[in-house]
Amino acid sequence: MYEKKKINWLFKLITVIAFMIILAPMIVIVIVSFNATEIITFPPQGLSMKWYANIFAENSKFVDGFLNSVKLAIVATLFDIVIGVLASISVTKYSFKQKGLLISLFTSPMFIPSIAFGFVLLQMTASMRILTPFLKILIGHIIIILPYIIRNTLGILTSYDWTIDDAAASLGANPVKVFFKITLPIIKPAVLSGALLAFLYSFDEAVISSLLTSAKFTTLPVQIINYMEFRFDPTVAAISTILMAISLALMILMDKFIGLDALTKQ
Amino acid sequence: MGYLTIDSLTKKYGDLTAVKSINLKIKQGEMVALLGGSGCGKTTILRMIAGFIEPNAGTVSINGKVMNNIPAYKRNVGIFFQNYALFPHMTVIENVEFSLKLKKMKKAEIKEKVEYILGLVKLEGKGDSYPRQLSGGQQQRVALARALVMEPDVLLLDEPLSNLDSKLRQEMQVEIKRIQKKLKLTTIIVTHDQEEAVSLANRVVIMNEGEIEQIGEPGEVFNHPAHPFVAEFMGFSNFMEGKIVRKEGKEIQIEVAEGKVMNQSYDRADELAVGDAVVLTIRPEAVLISKTEEDGYAQGKIVNMTYKGHNTMVDILSSFNEKVQAINVDMVLPKEGESIYFAFPSDKVIIYKK
């Protein structure tokens, strides 16, 4: 019994240290964002909200960047939910040759360096005048975030019992009704958890966006990089604090509606 | 003209022919069992009737209407799946009312029908549970209720009792029969269990490798199997090959091995002639055994005994080197290796021409 107690104590210590390593920088950022001085210092000297005010200042483009990033992430995620769910169903419900190849192809964007992918996309789209910077970045994001939705959806569909769909058909449901009343509601938790990951990745993406960006359209991560080239004050810490709060809120909402275990259970 | 007519139905998967030109006519309100081992094509037939797969040739018609090219959701064929296939995200009531809601029935009518059917399968008070909260037997009754509530033209049951323990099995057998009779449903039940088939169905269809071996009433297929294959499936054993060497009235003599003959009295001896190569079979429980030599009994040696609770399976090696299996209920048996006498009663033996 003594031995067991000792191990328990050791594990507790390791867990606490691990969490401190993960959480400490975030806590520092939150504290720094309320710092009164221009130079980032720790421990903080004086309390101030001026960096938060700075985000929303008239000449600041952070709000525009934030809205652009949200718009981009929402459109790309919605688009990929449709493609991802249909693609996942096609490779799980039907068996055909080269099925494995198709699955690899669907998930391959995960393994291509985004700098290389961004460069290719820049080359390809440079001469296409009809594509606005928004559309260029959107195409890039649609491709790179697709694997997150497909992998999650495939996870649940590989163990999906298709006789359930047959049962619904025998009860009088046409294929459209089977999909919306049976298949989709059953796979929804996995699709949503994949969509959340995809959304966050798109929102956070900086490499492809910075290659394809223009003065008229910048995303928040690009805006932050641009800002930091000239100034190094706690405004970025204030933005980071807001973003962390939003992420936390999304997680809590997700947990409330579909359960966080859907995120880890695949 | 049957209510459900299957006409030269064929299904091929690549080189494999799963169902070979099957013909079957089922009357309205009749319950027919498709009986066969795994891979005999019985489930494939069911799936073609339901409309999940299209046949390569032949037709399925219900009430005179050809069903080919009519999608599953327009056929009004209720199907019960072996794994139940309940909708996991819906409660019992939502599962059962699914088909009624699709028909845009009035709320009050739906409620009435759902309540009636849940009463019929004895699931009152379970309406708001989710399938995962129910026991296997309860889930099964939900699946049955869901298929019944749509008032199908044809009801298909795919191995309905295979996942249940023996007590629940008995109960459900009675239930299914009762409900089927009450609603006068034209029903096909697919099973690999001959007892289930003969106790539930009005007619039994025995299948092997995509073909029908025999169609008949339960008593007929159970007691007079048409081929040795059917006989084996219906629980016959003690298959012995031989040649008829002598025949006098009902008394025939079969040579089962070089120089070894067996005398057997057979009621339907007229169908046989001297020189015919034959296969003889009898159920193990019909074999008579005795510790002492009696008239008409042959001698053998006990090689193995398996105690099965209410009976004992006795493996005998006969004096002419044939293995004989007998089931003994209440006799005090000699020990293994000791001598025993056995006989085949003439009305229990079947002799097939090869």
Side-chain angles (χ1 to χ4, degrees):
Chain A
M1 290 307 280
Y2 177 71
E3 280 283 305
K4 205 178 168 189
K5 243 183 185 169
K6 201 170 160 188
I7 289 169
N8 265 341
W9 176 82
L10 191 69
F11 276 148
K12 271 180 195 157
L13 185 73
I14 291 170
T15 311
V16 168
I17 291 170
F19 270 101
M20 269 170 67
I21 291 168
I22 296 167
L23 290 175
M26 299 190 197
I27 294 162
V28 170
I29 285 171
V30 173
I31 295 166
V32 164
S33 74
F34 294 103
N35 200 351
T37 57
E38 178 127 350
I39 300 153
I40 292 175
T41 54
F42 192 83
Q45 293 154 351
L47 200 68
S48 163
M49 287 295 285
K50 64 180 171 186
W51 309 117
Y52 287 89
N54 203 15
I55 300 171
F56 301 98
E58 235 173 282
N59 59 348
S60 137
K61 285 181 180 169
F62 288 124
V63 176
D64 285 345
F66 175 79
L67 292 177
N68 282 341
S69 284
V70 170
K71 191 169 90 180
L72 191 69
I74 288 177
V75 176
T77 306
L78 287 180
F79 203 87
D80 276 350
I81 288 176
V82 177
I83 305 176
V85 169
L86 294 181
S88 305
I89 288 176
S90 71
V91 292
T92 44
K93 186 170 183 177
Y94 308 101
S95 62
F96 48 89
K97 283 179 188 169
Q98 280 93 38
K99 192 166 139 173
L101 191 72
L102 207 57
I103 294 173
S104 308
L105 193 72
F106 287 155
T107 50
S108 63
M110 267 184 133
F111 309 108
I112 295 170
S114 27
I115 188 79
F117 180 61
F119 178 70
V120 171
L121 210 59
L122 181 65
Q123 286 255 305
M124 278 175 60
T125 55
S127 57
M128 296 183 191
R129 286 279 175 80
I130 41 158
L131 291 180
T132 62
F134 171 73
L135 284 176
K136 287 181 190 177
I137 300 175
L138 180 66
I139 291 170
H141 281 202
I142 282 174
I143 295 168
I144 53 156
I145 69 172
L146 183 61
Y148 293 92
I149 291 177
I150 287 199
R151 279 172 70 105
N152 271 274
T153 313
L154 276 181
I156 196 165
L157 280 177
T158 43
S159 60
Y160 190 81
D161 176 12
W162 294 102
T163 56
I164 289 178
D165 284 26
D166 283 345
S170 78
L171 292 166
N174 64 36
V176 176
K177 282 190 175 135
V178 172
F179 179 74
F180 283 107
K181 286 184 188 278
I182 306 297
T183 321
L184 198 57
I186 294 174
I187 66 171
K188 195 173 73 183
V191 176
L192 283 183
S193 70
L196 180 67
L197 291 176
F199 177 89
L200 290 176
Y201 184 43
S202 164
F203 186 82
D204 196 40
E205 205 284 327
V207 179
I208 292 170
S209 303
S210 63
L211 281 173
L212 299 170
T213 192
S214 80
K216 280 184 202 155
F217 185 87
T218 49
T219 63
L220 186 61
V222 176
Q223 198 68 50
I224 291 170
I225 294 168
N226 289 348
Y227 183 86
M228 282 169 68
E229 269 184 59
F230 304 104
R231 318 219 3 217
F232 196 66
D233 62 39
T235 310
V236 175
I239 295 171
S240 305
T241 305
I242 294 174
L243 293 184
M244 284 192 284
I246 292 172
S247 285
L248 193 67
L250 276 178
M251 291 288 193
I252 291 168
L253 279 178
M254 190 90 172
D255 187 36
K256 194 158 186 184
F257 289 110
I258 62 166
L260 263 190
D261 50 341
L263 274 174
T264 49
K265 194 177 23 175
Q266 278 160 44
Chain B
M1 186 67 208
Y3 180 75
L4 170 66
T5 306
I6 294 169
D7 186 27
S8 34
L9 199 66
T10 302
K11 181 70 192 175
K12 288 177 190 158
Y13 292 106
D15 293 336
L16 181 94
T17 309
V19 175
K20 293 174 192 160
S21 196
I22 293 283
N23 294 297
L24 188 63
K25 287 191 170 101
I26 298 171
K27 292 193 287 282
Q28 191 154 18
E30 194 183 14
M31 189 163 191
V32 168
L34 293 186
L35 178 63
S38 59
C40 75
K42 54 193 196 304
T43 300
T44 309
I45 293 179
L46 219 61
R47 294 179 67 80
M48 284 193 279
I49 298 171
F52 303 140
I53 47 177
E54 281 298 313
N56 294 96
T59 55
V60 171
S61 29
I62 297 170
N63 206 4
K65 197 177 166 199
V66 174
M67 284 290 144
N68 299 42
N69 301 320
I70 293 178
Y73 66 92
K74 286 184 182 166
R75 289 195 184 191
N76 201 33
V77 170
I79 180 160
F80 172 98
F81 290 90
Q82 188 172 6
N83 62 353
Y84 316 145
L86 295 176
F87 307 136
H89 60 302
M90 294 184 185
T91 63
V92 169
I93 287 182
E94 285 166 342
N95 265 280
V96 175
E97 70 184 6
F98 185 76
S99 61
L100 305 179
K101 274 193 164 171
L102 287 170
K103 284 180 187 159
K104 305 240 176 341
M105 228 173 245
K106 285 195 187 96
K107 268 191 178 173
E109 205 181 341
I110 292 179
K111 195 164 180 277
E112 189 187 322
K113 278 181 187 283
V114 170
E115 270 173 15
Y116 169 74
I117 222 81
L118 287 183
L120 202 64
V121 298
K122 294 174 181 160
L123 274 176
E124 300 101 331
K126 290 282 174 194
D128 294 322
S129 310
Y130 283 89
R132 61 173 180 276
Q133 298 169 319
L134 301 176
S135 70
Q138 290 169 332
Q139 286 184 21
Q140 182 174 48
R141 280 177 281 159
V142 177
L144 192 63
R146 188 179 65 176
L148 290 173
V149 80
M150 65 186 281
E151 289 164 18
D153 294 331
V154 171
L155 178 66
L156 308 173
L157 305 169
D158 189 0
E159 303 271 5
L161 307 173
S162 63
N163 295 337
L164 299 180
D165 60 61
S166 62
K167 186 172 169 280
L168 212 53
R169 228 178 145 89
Q170 299 277 320
E171 273 176 40
M172 279 307 289
Q173 238 173 42
V174 176
E175 286 296 277
I176 288 176
K177 189 82 188 165
R178 176 177 69 88
I179 293 167
Q180 188 264 342
K181 267 187 183 161
K182 185 164 182 165
L183 303 178
K184 297 186 181 63
L185 284 165
T186 308
T187 308
I188 296 185
I189 175 169
V190 153
T191 178
H192 63 273
D193 183 321
Q194 84 271 16
E195 263 183 52
E196 201 172 298
V198 295
S199 62
L200 278 172
N202 306 108
R203 269 196 303 159
V204 179
V205 177
I206 293 134
M207 295 195 58
N208 183 32
E209 292 179 352
E211 285 174 296
I212 292 177
E213 293 282 343
Q214 188 177 4
I215 305 179
E217 285 176 11
E220 190 186 331
V221 292
F222 201 74
N223 295 316
H224 304 286
H227 314 285
F229 171 81
V230 183
E232 193 173 357
F233 212 87
M234 299 313 293
F236 280 80
S237 68
N238 301 318
F239 290 90
M240 290 178 196
E241 291 186 13
K243 208 173 104 180
I244 296 180
V245 285
R246 234 166 55 110
K247 195 182 119 179
E248 262 173 49
K250 286 186 175 181
E251 296 304 316
I252 48 180
Q253 208 169 53
I254 303 169
E255 188 181 46
V256 289
E258 192 71 40
K260 304 268 170 68
V261 288
M262 226 180 103
N263 294 309
Q264 185 63 50
S265 164
Y266 189 50
D267 290 343
R268 292 188 290 170
D270 317 344
E271 298 160 19
L272 303 164
V274 172
D276 282 350
V278 292
V279 178
L280 176 148
T281 181
I282 184 167
R283 286 178 193 281
E285 60 267 32
V287 176
L288 299 173
I289 46 178
S290 165
K291 276 188 277 194
T292 51
E293 189 163 8
E294 282 177 49
D295 189 34
Y297 278 58
Q299 198 252 332
K301 198 174 79 179
I302 298 180
V303 255
N304 189 34
M305 288 195 290
T306 316
Y307 182 62
K308 297 203 166 184
H310 56 281
N311 60 35
T312 306
M313 181 79 92
V314 188
D315 290 308
I316 302 165
L317 189 68
S318 74
S319 57
F320 42 91
N321 250 349
E322 286 278 355
K323 280 177 190 153
V324 174
Q325 209 167 45
I327 287 177
N328 173 56
V329 182
D330 49 11
M331 196 178 97
V332 180
L333 288 159
K335 288 192 182 67
E336 274 177 36
E338 286 180 14
S339 170
I340 195 161
Y341 299 89
F342 65 91
F344 297 167
S346 61
D347 57 336
K348 298 287 166 64
V349 165
I350 302 178
I351 299 172
Y352 297 105
K353 249 193 250 184
K354 272 187 89 182

